[in-house]
Amino acid sequence: MALAGAMLASLAASQSALADCFDDAATYHHVNADVLRAIAWQESHNRPDARRTNTNGSVDYGLMQINSVHLETLARFGIGTDDLMVPCKSVYIAAWHLQRQMAKYGNTWAAIGAYHSATPALRDAYAAKIATRLAALKDARENGR
């Protein structure tokens, strides 16, 4: 319950400015807006300035923690690391990335998990975390928190 309350409070603060970004990006890329919100919470706790260097040397950037392994592909669209630190751009890029996983795995938990990793054990563990975040978000909404 404390998780649901903390998640909703953080979401409420960030959603006023980002609600349209989550909803619009989800609509544009045909993904679920609440899945994107859960990913934002899981990845950065809704911190647009988040940056993390991973043990493999890659770097995760911004609200949605887009990994540097995607920079070469993103550069073809004129997107660089500065763009990843802009919250709304980060959400759109995350929606694009999630949609790519859905094209590969279908509308499944495997696709959601693949947002984080293609390695099956890591993918499945991540999907379970997102499922927990989604349940907390639903609980918070239903109970007015």
Side-chain angles (χ1 to χ4, degrees):
M1 292 299 161
L3 172 63
M7 183 175 174
L8 187 62
S10 180
L11 283 172
S14 67
Q15 280 184 357
S16 61
L18 291 175
D20 289 342
C21 288
F22 282 104
D23 294 335
D24 292 349
T27 298
Y28 185 80
H29 288 289
H30 307 288
V31 298
N32 184 290
D34 283 343
V35 169
L36 291 175
R37 289 180 179 98
I39 289 171
W41 178 258
Q42 179 63 38
E43 292 291 335
S44 71
H45 288 219
N46 292 323
R47 289 182 24 247
D49 63 339
R51 183 179 168 169
R52 179 174 184 257
T53 301
N54 300 300
T55 57
N56 66 359
S58 67
V59 179
D60 298 329
Y61 294 95
L63 176 70
M64 304 303 287
Q65 292 290 275
I66 306 297
N67 190 274
S68 59
V69 300
H70 304 292
L71 289 175
E72 184 177 333
T73 301
L74 292 171
R76 288 187 246 154
F77 301 102
I79 298 168
T81 56
D82 289 345
D83 297 304
L84 302 179
M85 301 305 289
V86 177
C88 200
K89 287 182 182 181
S90 185
V91 173
Y92 269 86
I93 294 163
W96 167 80
H97 178 58
L98 179 59
Q99 192 281 327
R100 290 176 64 208
Q101 302 316 308
M102 289 174 64
K104 181 175 182 177
Y105 294 100
N107 190 13
T108 64
W109 287 109
I112 293 170
Y115 177 92
H116 173 72
S117 177
T119 303
L122 298 174
R123 178 193 70 207
D124 296 346
Y126 186 82
K129 290 176 183 178
I130 297 303
T132 299
R133 302 280 179 225
L134 285 169
L137 178 58
K138 181 181 178 196
D139 180 63
R141 284 183 179 153
E142 288 175 356
N143 293 304
R145 293 184 217 147

